Amino acid sequence: MVARDVDIGAFDSFEAAGWEDRAADYDRHWSAFTEGLADPILDAAGVGPGIRVLDVACGPGRLAGRAAARGAEATGVDIAEAMVGRARRHHRGARFRRGDAQALPFPDGAFDAVVSSLGLPHFGRPERAVAEFGRVLADGGRLALTCWDLPQRTPLVGVLVAAVRAAGATPPPSLPPGPDFFRFGDHGEFAALLTGAGFTDVEIRTLTLTYRTDSPDELWDALMRGTVRTAAMIRGQPDEVTARVRAAFDHGLDAHRAGACYQVPASFVLGTGRAPVLATEVKPPAGVAEEA
């Protein structure tokens, strides 16, 4: 699914509106699964008691909730008020507010750690978002972000990508072109994003989970009801093309049948770094002359 010329404003508006509508379905279909990324993210960011941590694109709040359970001072921010509302109801140990990752509503240096689980593909300007993460981090603060791996390495999404290609589906006019969803599955691209924003000690590694389902219908419903860009791509097709996509999708999942169920591998990329420590001038104590 190659993006056409990207209208960033249209894309960001599309994403924001889509997640307002899909908050409950996303929570129902995906939160329990993606929560498997929470501890590796929080460990990488050094989140523990007393740490001021910001979860960006927090969705229904499970990552921020897990951080609060560790004793951190956790705050979550999301573009969709519906997501913020769900997070507030279910994770009372953390604070949540609406806000744009690309213009965070927090002062400089407000947090010791910034985390985000699978948020990057949903930002029209990821470079601006990561610059904002650095701005709100204290000197030496830690960053930990995940994104989807390349589709050829993660069958959970790769099966659908291959089905779309096999069916000859093309982006419908109703779907605003957006940034490459899998751009940061490339480790070099991900590292360049972080170092370009001034982060140091950058490391990129892979995490894996397994999605277990009883039938292709269950995963298809999760994709059609609990996503925004992916669902819009499929729902905007003519009926005959959608039927071809679904047939190819079911066929692709056959390789992951395990007895009476399906076990579909999912691969993610975790990028970590530290905000630079800004050097400050150290003046000698009063009355002590500087050496020539």
Side-chain angles (χ1 to χ4, degrees):
M1 288 181 274
V2 178
R4 296 153 282 166
D5 292 339
V6 177
D7 180 336
I8 296 299
F11 174 77
D12 283 343
S13 295
F14 169 82
E15 283 275 329
W19 291 116
E20 291 288 1
D21 292 339
R22 297 296 175 95
D25 284 324
Y26 176 86
D27 202 7
R28 182 180 307 112
H29 290 289
W30 291 107
S31 285
F33 172 67
T34 58
E35 193 173 14
L37 299 172
D39 284 332
I41 292 171
L42 297 176
D43 289 346
V47 174
I51 294 294
R52 301 169 300 164
V53 58
L54 175 65
D55 176 15
V56 183
C58 66
R62 292 202 183 197
L63 182 58
R66 183 74 67 91
R70 290 183 173 207
E73 297 178 17
T75 300
V77 62
D78 198 277
I79 195 66
E81 189 61 49
M83 288 291 194
V84 171
R86 293 188 72 83
R88 285 173 177 157
R89 289 193 296 273
H90 297 296
H91 304 285
R92 298 186 181 277
R95 298 182 296 273
F96 298 94
R97 64 177 294 180
R98 186 179 181 279
D100 185 347
Q102 299 161 123
L104 290 170
F106 304 103
D108 296 358
F111 299 97
D112 306 306
V114 171
V115 297
S116 183
S117 183
L118 307 180
L120 279 176
H122 305 288
F123 307 147
R125 299 174 177 86
E127 287 81 5
R128 181 178 295 183
V130 173
E132 278 290 277
F133 301 167
R135 179 184 65 78
V136 302
L137 274 171
D139 287 0
R142 296 169 70 173
L143 178 75
L145 314 174
T146 56
C147 62
W148 289 95
D149 205 341
L150 298 174
Q152 60 267 33
R153 295 200 290 256
T154 182
L156 183 60
V157 292
V159 166
L160 183 60
V161 171
V164 166
R165 185 180 300 116
T170 57
S174 59
L175 176 59
D180 180 358
F181 190 85
F182 298 106
R183 174 184 169 189
F184 300 113
D186 181 303
H187 290 203
E189 283 280 340
F190 204 170
L193 175 73
L194 303 188
T195 57
F199 287 93
T200 64
D201 301 328
V202 169
E203 294 184 4
I204 311 296
R205 62 186 177 93
T206 300
L207 304 173
T208 57
L209 298 174
T210 299
Y211 186 96
R212 294 175 173 82
T213 182
D214 292 332
S215 73
D217 289 344
E218 185 177 347
L219 179 53
W220 182 262
D221 284 348
L223 291 165
M224 294 304 103
R225 297 176 184 275
T227 67
V228 173
R229 202 177 350 173
T230 298
M233 173 70 182
I234 304 304
R235 292 182 184 278
Q237 302 300 318
D239 290 346
E240 64 273 15
V241 176
T242 300
R244 292 202 301 270
V245 173
R246 179 60 201 268
F249 175 82
D250 288 356
H251 178 72
L253 279 183
D254 284 344
H256 305 288
R257 186 187 291 273
C261 68
Y262 296 79
Q263 297 186 18
V264 191
S267 180
F268 306 89
V269 183
L270 171 66
T272 60
R274 282 188 180 274
V277 177
L278 302 179
T280 56
E281 182 182 359
V282 179
K283 296 183 178 180
V288 177
E290 294 185 15
E291 294 184 1

Short mmCIF file of all heavy atoms in Angstrom, two decimals, residues 136-166:
data_model
loop_
_atom_site.label_atom_id
_atom_site.label_comp_id
_atom_site.label_asym_id
_atom_site.label_seq_id
_atom_site.Cartn_x
_atom_site.Cartn_y
_atom_site.Cartn_z
N VAL A 136 9.91 17.52 26.04
CA VAL A 136 9.27 17.36 27.35
C VAL A 136 10.07 16.45 28.29
O VAL A 136 9.69 16.28 29.45
CB VAL A 136 7.82 16.85 27.22
CG1 VAL A 136 7.00 17.81 26.38
CG2 VAL A 136 7.75 15.43 26.66
N LEU A 137 11.17 15.86 27.79
CA LEU A 137 12.01 15.04 28.65
C LEU A 137 13.02 15.90 29.40
O LEU A 137 13.60 16.84 28.86
CB LEU A 137 12.77 14.00 27.82
CG LEU A 137 12.06 12.68 27.54
CD1 LEU A 137 12.85 11.86 26.53
CD2 LEU A 137 11.83 11.89 28.81
N ALA A 138 13.25 15.54 30.65
CA ALA A 138 14.33 16.14 31.41
C ALA A 138 15.67 15.68 30.83
O ALA A 138 15.75 14.67 30.13
CB ALA A 138 14.22 15.73 32.88
N ASP A 139 16.74 16.42 31.13
CA ASP A 139 18.07 16.03 30.67
C ASP A 139 18.35 14.58 31.06
O ASP A 139 18.18 14.20 32.23
CB ASP A 139 19.14 16.93 31.29
CG ASP A 139 19.16 18.32 30.69
OD1 ASP A 139 18.34 18.58 29.79
OD2 ASP A 139 20.00 19.14 31.12
N GLY A 140 18.78 13.78 30.11
CA GLY A 140 19.09 12.39 30.38
C GLY A 140 17.89 11.49 30.48
O GLY A 140 18.02 10.29 30.75
N GLY A 141 16.68 12.03 30.25
CA GLY A 141 15.47 11.22 30.32
C GLY A 141 15.45 10.15 29.24
O GLY A 141 16.11 10.26 28.20
N ARG A 142 14.66 9.11 29.48
CA ARG A 142 14.69 7.94 28.61
C ARG A 142 13.44 7.84 27.75
O ARG A 142 12.33 8.15 28.19
CB ARG A 142 14.88 6.68 29.45
CG ARG A 142 16.23 6.68 30.15
CD ARG A 142 16.37 5.61 31.20
NE ARG A 142 16.45 4.26 30.62
CZ ARG A 142 16.72 3.17 31.33
NH1 ARG A 142 16.94 3.27 32.64
NH2 ARG A 142 16.78 1.99 30.74
N LEU A 143 13.64 7.37 26.53
CA LEU A 143 12.59 7.23 25.53
C LEU A 143 12.49 5.77 25.12
O LEU A 143 13.51 5.10 24.92
CB LEU A 143 12.94 8.07 24.29
CG LEU A 143 11.98 8.01 23.11
CD1 LEU A 143 10.72 8.81 23.42
CD2 LEU A 143 12.67 8.56 21.85
N ALA A 144 11.25 5.26 24.99
CA ALA A 144 11.04 3.89 24.48
C ALA A 144 9.78 3.87 23.64
O ALA A 144 8.68 4.18 24.13
CB ALA A 144 10.94 2.89 25.63
N LEU A 145 9.92 3.54 22.36
CA LEU A 145 8.82 3.53 21.40
C LEU A 145 8.77 2.21 20.68
O LEU A 145 9.82 1.64 20.35
CB LEU A 145 9.02 4.64 20.35
CG LEU A 145 9.41 6.04 20.82
CD1 LEU A 145 9.69 6.92 19.60
CD2 LEU A 145 8.32 6.64 21.68
N THR A 146 7.57 1.72 20.39
CA THR A 146 7.45 0.55 19.53
C THR A 146 6.66 0.89 18.28
O THR A 146 5.84 1.81 18.26
CB THR A 146 6.74 -0.62 20.24
OG1 THR A 146 5.45 -0.19 20.70
CG2 THR A 146 7.57 -1.18 21.38
N CYS A 147 6.92 0.13 17.22
CA CYS A 147 6.12 0.20 16.00
C CYS A 147 6.07 -1.20 15.40
O CYS A 147 6.79 -2.10 15.83
CB CYS A 147 6.71 1.21 15.02
SG CYS A 147 8.37 0.80 14.46
N TRP A 148 5.18 -1.38 14.43
CA TRP A 148 5.09 -2.67 13.75
C TRP A 148 6.36 -2.91 12.92
O TRP A 148 6.93 -2.01 12.32
CB TRP A 148 3.89 -2.69 12.81
CG TRP A 148 2.58 -2.75 13.52
CD1 TRP A 148 1.78 -1.69 13.84
CD2 TRP A 148 1.91 -3.92 13.99
NE1 TRP A 148 0.64 -2.14 14.49
CE2 TRP A 148 0.69 -3.50 14.59
CE3 TRP A 148 2.22 -5.28 13.96
CZ2 TRP A 148 -0.20 -4.40 15.15
CZ3 TRP A 148 1.32 -6.18 14.53
CH2 TRP A 148 0.13 -5.73 15.12
N ASP A 149 6.78 -4.16 12.90
CA ASP A 149 7.89 -4.57 12.05
C ASP A 149 7.43 -4.59 10.60
O ASP A 149 6.23 -4.44 10.30
CB ASP A 149 8.37 -5.96 12.49
CG ASP A 149 9.83 -6.22 12.12
OD1 ASP A 149 10.35 -5.52 11.23
OD2 ASP A 149 10.42 -7.15 12.71
N LEU A 150 8.36 -4.81 9.67
CA LEU A 150 8.02 -4.92 8.26
C LEU A 150 7.06 -6.10 8.05
O LEU A 150 7.16 -7.12 8.74
CB LEU A 150 9.28 -5.13 7.43
CG LEU A 150 10.30 -3.97 7.49
CD1 LEU A 150 11.57 -4.36 6.74
CD2 LEU A 150 9.71 -2.70 6.91
N PRO A 151 6.11 -5.96 7.12
CA PRO A 151 5.07 -7.00 6.98
C PRO A 151 5.62 -8.37 6.67
O PRO A 151 5.03 -9.38 7.08
CB PRO A 151 4.19 -6.46 5.85
CG PRO A 151 4.97 -5.38 5.19
CD PRO A 151 5.89 -4.83 6.21
N GLN A 152 6.75 -8.47 5.96
CA GLN A 152 7.30 -9.78 5.67
C GLN A 152 7.85 -10.48 6.91
O GLN A 152 8.11 -11.68 6.88
CB GLN A 152 8.39 -9.69 4.59
CG GLN A 152 9.58 -8.81 4.93
CD GLN A 152 9.43 -7.39 4.42
OE1 GLN A 152 8.32 -6.85 4.37
NE2 GLN A 152 10.54 -6.77 4.04
N ARG A 153 8.02 -9.71 7.99
CA ARG A 153 8.53 -10.30 9.23
C ARG A 153 7.44 -10.44 10.30
O ARG A 153 7.73 -10.93 11.40
CB ARG A 153 9.69 -9.47 9.77
CG ARG A 153 10.92 -9.47 8.86
CD ARG A 153 12.17 -9.08 9.61
NE ARG A 153 12.19 -7.69 10.01
CZ ARG A 153 12.92 -6.74 9.41
NH1 ARG A 153 13.65 -7.05 8.35
NH2 ARG A 153 12.91 -5.50 9.85
N THR A 154 6.23 -9.99 10.00
CA THR A 154 5.16 -10.07 10.99
C THR A 154 3.87 -10.53 10.31
O THR A 154 3.08 -9.73 9.83
CB THR A 154 4.97 -8.73 11.76
OG1 THR A 154 3.95 -8.89 12.73
CG2 THR A 154 4.67 -7.58 10.84
N PRO A 155 3.66 -11.83 10.26
CA PRO A 155 2.49 -12.35 9.55
C PRO A 155 1.15 -11.81 10.02
O PRO A 155 0.20 -11.78 9.23
CB PRO A 155 2.59 -13.87 9.82
CG PRO A 155 4.05 -14.11 9.98
CD PRO A 155 4.57 -12.90 10.72
N LEU A 156 1.05 -11.34 11.25
CA LEU A 156 -0.24 -10.83 11.74
C LEU A 156 -0.78 -9.72 10.85
O LEU A 156 -1.98 -9.64 10.61
CB LEU A 156 -0.10 -10.35 13.18
CG LEU A 156 -1.38 -9.84 13.85
CD1 LEU A 156 -2.43 -10.95 13.90
CD2 LEU A 156 -1.10 -9.31 15.25
N VAL A 157 0.09 -8.85 10.36
CA VAL A 157 -0.34 -7.84 9.41
C VAL A 157 0.10 -8.18 7.99
O VAL A 157 -0.53 -7.77 7.02
CB VAL A 157 0.19 -6.44 9.80
CG1 VAL A 157 -0.48 -5.95 11.07
CG2 VAL A 157 1.71 -6.44 9.97
N GLY A 158 1.16 -8.96 7.87
CA GLY A 158 1.66 -9.32 6.56
C GLY A 158 0.67 -10.13 5.74
O GLY A 158 0.62 -10.00 4.51
N VAL A 159 -0.14 -10.96 6.41
CA VAL A 159 -1.15 -11.75 5.70
C VAL A 159 -2.14 -10.83 4.99
O VAL A 159 -2.51 -11.06 3.83
CB VAL A 159 -1.87 -12.70 6.67
CG1 VAL A 159 -3.13 -13.27 6.05
CG2 VAL A 159 -0.94 -13.84 7.08
N LEU A 160 -2.56 -9.75 5.66
CA LEU A 160 -3.50 -8.83 5.03
C LEU A 160 -2.82 -8.01 3.94
O LEU A 160 -3.41 -7.78 2.87
CB LEU A 160 -4.11 -7.90 6.07
CG LEU A 160 -5.16 -6.93 5.53
CD1 LEU A 160 -6.33 -7.68 4.91
CD2 LEU A 160 -5.66 -5.99 6.61
N VAL A 161 -1.60 -7.56 4.16
CA VAL A 161 -0.88 -6.80 3.14
C VAL A 161 -0.75 -7.64 1.87
O VAL A 161 -0.99 -7.16 0.75
CB VAL A 161 0.50 -6.37 3.66
CG1 VAL A 161 1.36 -5.79 2.53
CG2 VAL A 161 0.36 -5.35 4.78
N ALA A 162 -0.39 -8.92 2.03
CA ALA A 162 -0.26 -9.80 0.87
C ALA A 162 -1.61 -10.03 0.20
O ALA A 162 -1.70 -10.11 -1.04
CB ALA A 162 0.35 -11.13 1.31
N ALA A 163 -2.68 -10.13 0.99
CA ALA A 163 -4.01 -10.35 0.43
C ALA A 163 -4.47 -9.14 -0.38
O ALA A 163 -5.07 -9.28 -1.46
CB ALA A 163 -5.01 -10.65 1.54
N VAL A 164 -4.18 -7.93 0.11
CA VAL A 164 -4.54 -6.71 -0.61
C VAL A 164 -3.81 -6.66 -1.96
O VAL A 164 -4.39 -6.34 -3.01
CB VAL A 164 -4.20 -5.47 0.24
CG1 VAL A 164 -4.22 -4.21 -0.60
CG2 VAL A 164 -5.18 -5.37 1.40
N ARG A 165 -2.53 -7.02 -1.92
CA ARG A 165 -1.75 -7.01 -3.16
C ARG A 165 -2.26 -8.06 -4.14
O ARG A 165 -2.42 -7.78 -5.35
CB ARG A 165 -0.28 -7.27 -2.82
CG ARG A 165 0.66 -7.16 -4.01
CD ARG A 165 2.10 -7.43 -3.60
NE ARG A 165 2.57 -6.51 -2.58
CZ ARG A 165 2.91 -6.86 -1.35
NH1 ARG A 165 2.83 -8.13 -0.96
NH2 ARG A 165 3.33 -5.96 -0.50
N ALA A 166 -2.55 -9.26 -3.64
CA ALA A 166 -3.01 -10.33 -4.51
C ALA A 166 -4.36 -10.00 -5.14
O ALA A 166 -4.64 -10.40 -6.28
CB ALA A 166 -3.11 -11.63 -3.72
#
